[in-house]
Amino acid sequence: MAPHLRSSPTPVVGPADDARDPRVRILSAAGQEFAEHGYEAATIRDICAAAGVNVAAVNYYFGDKRRLYIESVKHAHEERLRQVPQPEWATGTPAQEKLHQFIDTMLERMLGAGQPPWQVRLMMREVLQPTEACRELVEDYIRPHFAMLVAILDELTAGMLSQAELRRVGMSIVGQCFVYRAAGDVVSMLVPRDEIESLHTPKPLAQHITRYALAALGLGTPLALPLVRVTKDVIA
Amino acid sequence: MAPHLRSSPTPVVGPADDARDPRVRILSAAGQEFAEHGYEAATIRDICAAAGVNVAAVNYYFGDKRRLYIESVKHAHEERLRQVPQPEWATGTPAQEKLHQFIDTMLERMLGAGQPPWQVRLMMREVLQPTEACRELVEDYIRPHFAMLVAILDELTAGMLSQAELRRVGMSIVGQCFVYRAAGDVVSMLVPRDEIESLHTPKPLAQHITRYALAALGLGTPLALPLVRVTKDVIA
DNA sequence: GCGATGTTCAAACGACTGTTTTAATCGATT
DNA sequence: AATCGATTAAAACAGTCGTTTGAACATCGC
């Protein structure tokens, strides 16, 4: 009986990441091809060539291309979850520090060192043009992250903002990171090369976005101090 | 001689938007198909069926699919430029008001009423995964807009920030708008439906992003007033 | 040993793709 | 009316796609 027809699609035993297992070799190759070219443009022949298996293997293990795609998205994001686990903070860590580290981690994940991993590119495709695999991706991966950000913001503002307002602020922070990942090529055309390398890389960006958020919330020094505010600083 | 081989590809005379002209009918249909399905998945047969012309017309007028795509992107963004011209402000308009209107216009363009026009979707594809048509799009459409935003921010901060810092702040503002357009489906999954309709539509969003920016720059009241700041308010 | 079962392979199928060909049609000029 | 270029139409081309086939191969229990 073909594996993709069995009751338990994923083998119950085994780590399922054995490089010699054709199934995971196909999943990995498929993920990279889908990430690079998209669903339509990626071909089963190329995927199988990259995985070193016969074209018939895809239908044997996954049934058809559509189900291979869905499985590869799930596989990619499970792998990514294992690669970069949620940071754990010691109790008593200042919320401001948590926020900074959260933004920094998000940017590092999205932009990474040099070329971002194909797993992120694949997930980005799902975000930009959702398919069947999207809902699962959101529930398992994106929603918990966003909830963590909202929790940090809640702690930061000590209950002064409603959950709705917190979500909106959270989306503002996510958006500032997101644009660099999704529209990175256009960003590179809008700002000079040296400026990109000095100001628009993860670390400086995390600092900027954090400072921008803290100042907007009234918890840090504004980016540009207007003259009227000087009086306050004198008093403080 | 086939039109696409002639020296002047666009007819020198005529408005070129006559609905009876097969050339513009193809361009319009192609733009919508490309916007909906992407370059690879869109088929010449579907495009021609939508335009009401024979399949051979594409090769007759444009040579091949690739050149049709490039021309359709240019056509779409020229049409969009004509649809929503840059707002002109009277001299003496406060910079804060300009910023608010600029953000509002950008959001209205991106999100629009209901479904955004296919022209925007097509351009968004170029931003997310640039092809040959991208550079032209950036130079003619995006760069001038971004320069206008930076100019407003410069006026707002009265020279207190360097051009590099202004560009970074500008990118933060653009990112907050961009995420709603590019990742709108995921946003809809992260925030409750009623909250989307009340807080995440163009007008309220423009107000939020403007206020967020002004507060971050130190020109408006912070979103959350911390206790230490109360002293200032008492004094003021 | 030997079937039985799970897996791999080369080859082919039918459908669809972008593109080209060839002939028919139209419109204006002489 | 006849001619000639510009345009349209139907059909076919060569290639690639996802998918299927049927036989070969491997691996195991007995």
Side-chain angles (χ1 to χ4, degrees):
Chain A
M1 189 199 264
H4 82 273
L5 291 177
R6 284 202 273 264
S7 54
S8 139
T10 343
V12 187
V13 291
D17 40 32
D18 186 357
R20 284 161 301 180
D21 182 359
R23 193 186 148 86
V24 304
R25 283 221 314 276
I26 296 174
L27 277 177
S28 183
Q32 298 183 52
E33 288 291 321
F34 285 135
E36 189 71 21
H37 306 104
Y39 179 77
E40 302 284 349
T43 74
I44 291 185
R45 282 174 171 83
D46 286 347
I47 291 170
C48 290
V53 300
N54 191 270
V55 276
V58 162
N59 284 266
Y60 181 73
Y61 283 105
F62 300 95
D64 55 18
K65 187 185 183 182
R66 201 186 102 268
R67 273 174 284 182
L68 168 61
Y69 175 76
I70 295 174
E71 289 297 318
S72 74
V73 171
K74 288 165 65 175
H75 176 76
H77 111 248
E78 282 163 7
E79 205 172 58
R80 194 67 184 156
L81 271 179
R82 221 176 306 126
Q83 281 178 12
V84 277
Q86 302 271 12
E88 293 282 342
W89 291 293
T91 53
T93 307
Q96 300 202 3
E97 191 178 322
K98 286 187 194 174
L99 180 67
H100 190 172
Q101 284 181 20
F102 181 92
I103 292 173
D104 185 59
T105 305
M106 179 160 54
L107 281 168
E108 284 287 353
R109 276 184 190 153
M110 284 184 170
L111 306 179
Q115 282 288 83
W118 57 267
Q119 287 96 338
V120 180
R121 297 199 55 171
L122 187 59
M123 283 187 261
M124 201 57 66
R125 280 190 185 275
E126 275 299 315
V127 169
L128 299 172
Q129 202 167 44
T131 69
E132 298 177 58
C134 183
R135 183 165 295 275
E136 204 162 339
L137 195 68
V138 169
E139 297 306 327
D140 295 356
Y141 189 76
I142 298 176
R143 189 187 296 281
H145 268 263
F146 189 67
M148 177 177 282
L149 172 59
V150 170
I152 293 173
L153 292 173
D154 197 12
E155 185 184 341
L156 205 56
T157 55
M160 303 182 79
L161 295 180
S162 70
Q163 289 292 311
E165 288 172 306
L166 290 174
R167 275 191 280 267
R168 204 156 63 159
V169 173
M171 209 58 81
S172 285
I173 291 174
V174 170
Q176 292 174 67
C177 303
F178 178 78
V179 69
Y180 283 94
R181 178 68 198 92
D185 296 290
V186 172
V187 173
S188 303
M189 298 172 80
L190 287 179
V191 297
R193 183 183 212 85
D194 59 329
E195 200 174 306
I196 291 272
E197 292 164 0
S198 60
L199 293 180
H200 299 261
T201 43
K203 294 296 175 196
L205 259 186
Q207 216 151 356
H208 163 71
I209 296 173
T210 307
R211 194 170 155 222
Y212 194 87
L214 290 177
L217 292 171
L219 300 169
T221 56
L223 299 187
L225 281 176
L227 298 179
V228 274
R229 274 291 163 83
V230 171
T231 55
K232 181 211 63 132
D233 286 327
V234 167
I235 292 167
Chain B
M1 188 202 269
H4 82 271
L5 291 177
R6 284 202 275 263
S7 53
S8 142
T10 342
V12 188
V13 291
D17 40 32
D18 187 356
R20 284 162 300 183
D21 182 358
R23 192 186 149 86
V24 304
R25 283 221 315 275
I26 296 174
L27 277 177
S28 182
Q32 297 184 53
E33 288 291 320
F34 285 136
E36 188 72 20
H37 307 104
Y39 178 77
E40 303 281 350
T43 73
I44 291 185
R45 279 173 173 82
D46 286 347
I47 291 170
C48 290
V53 300
N54 191 270
V55 276
V58 162
N59 283 266
Y60 181 74
Y61 283 104
F62 300 97
D64 55 18
K65 188 184 182 182
R66 201 186 102 267
R67 271 174 284 182
L68 168 62
Y69 175 76
I70 296 174
E71 289 297 318
S72 73
V73 171
K74 288 164 67 174
H75 176 76
H77 111 248
E78 282 165 7
E79 206 171 57
R80 194 67 183 155
L81 270 179
R82 222 176 306 126
Q83 282 177 12
V84 278
Q86 302 270 10
E88 293 282 342
W89 291 293
T91 53
T93 306
Q96 301 202 3
E97 191 177 322
K98 286 188 195 175
L99 180 67
H100 190 170
Q101 285 182 18
F102 181 92
I103 293 174
D104 185 58
T105 305
M106 180 158 55
L107 281 168
E108 284 288 355
R109 276 184 190 152
M110 284 183 168
L111 306 178
Q115 281 289 82
W118 58 266
Q119 287 96 338
V120 179
R121 298 199 55 172
L122 187 59
M123 282 188 262
M124 201 58 66
R125 279 191 185 274
E126 275 299 315
V127 168
L128 299 172
Q129 201 168 44
T131 69
E132 297 177 58
C134 183
R135 183 166 294 275
E136 204 163 339
L137 196 66
V138 169
E139 297 305 329
D140 295 356
Y141 190 75
I142 298 175
R143 189 188 295 281
H145 269 262
F146 189 68
M148 177 179 282
L149 172 59
V150 170
I152 292 173
L153 291 173
D154 196 13
E155 185 184 342
L156 204 56
T157 55
M160 301 182 80
L161 296 180
S162 70
Q163 286 294 310
E165 287 172 305
L166 290 174
R167 275 190 281 267
R168 205 156 62 160
V169 174
M171 210 58 81
S172 286
I173 292 174
V174 170
Q176 291 175 66
C177 303
F178 179 79
V179 70
Y180 283 94
R181 177 71 197 90
D185 296 290
V186 173
V187 173
S188 303
M189 299 172 79
L190 287 179
V191 297
R193 185 184 210 83
D194 59 328
E195 200 174 305
I196 290 272
E197 292 163 359
S198 61
L199 293 179
H200 299 262
T201 43
K203 294 295 175 197
L205 258 186
Q207 217 152 354
H208 162 72
I209 295 173
T210 306
R211 194 172 155 220
Y212 194 88
L214 290 176
L217 292 171
L219 300 168
T221 57
L223 299 188
L225 282 175
L227 297 178
V228 273
R229 276 291 165 85
V230 170
T231 55
K232 181 208 66 132
D233 287 327
V234 168
I235 293 167

